[in-house]
Amino acid sequence: GVGMGMTAPVSITAFPAEDGSLQQKVKVSLRIPSQFQDNPPRPSDDSIKIEERQEMTIYSTQFGGYAKEVDYVNYAAKLKSALGTEAAYRKDFYFCNGYDPPMKPYGRRNEVWFVKE
């Protein structure tokens, strides 16, 4: 019953298949605004969970435009290639992040994050 407005980034946890495509399971995360973080409103829908994301170090790449699944997959592949075999990061998931509302046509910001191990 509490309106919190749009937060950024909208973060989608992607679970890549062996071929790099995304599995059909995803988790969408929205940041709780600062004023609600100490005492977040309780969700009325049991499918919505509040979780605290622990501090992490990430490897990231940024790109523009209206991001589609294929864009995130392609940029994840580019980031993987840029990191090579020396960087240790989680391979079982990565984050796809969007920072802009749908009505913003130009100067859009999207990122792919790999979590450092």
Side-chain angles (χ1 to χ4, degrees):
V2 176
M4 292 189 288
M6 180 67 185
T7 62
V10 173
S11 186
I12 298 171
T13 306
F15 301 91
E18 289 293 320
D19 65 358
S21 66
L22 300 183
Q23 296 180 37
Q24 290 304 308
K25 85 176 177 180
V26 296
K27 180 168 67 172
V28 177
S29 302
L30 305 171
R31 185 180 178 282
I32 294 176
S34 299
Q35 68 267 31
F36 296 107
Q37 286 188 9
D38 287 339
N39 188 21
R42 297 181 57 97
S44 57
D45 183 330
D46 289 339
S47 69
I48 298 172
K49 308 290 183 220
I50 295 177
E51 65 180 34
E52 186 172 336
R53 204 178 262 182
Q54 299 300 315
E55 181 178 310
M56 65 182 108
T57 301
I58 61 166
Y59 298 105
S60 178
T61 188
Q62 182 178 330
F63 61 98
Y66 282 96
K68 298 179 216 56
E69 180 179 322
V70 67
D71 299 315
Y72 286 116
V73 169
N74 288 339
Y75 278 91
K78 289 178 183 181
L79 182 56
K80 179 180 179 179
S81 177
L83 292 173
T85 58
E86 298 300 312
Y89 59 91
R90 297 285 305 263
K91 310 278 191 301
D92 54 331
F93 72 92
Y94 59 87
F95 295 108
C96 305
N97 301 287
Y99 289 84
D100 303 297
M103 65 289 279
K104 181 179 178 184
Y106 303 105
R108 298 182 64 80
R109 176 179 168 191
N110 310 289
E111 296 176 348
V112 171
W113 295 354
F114 289 174
V115 178
K116 183 179 179 182
E117 288 188 324

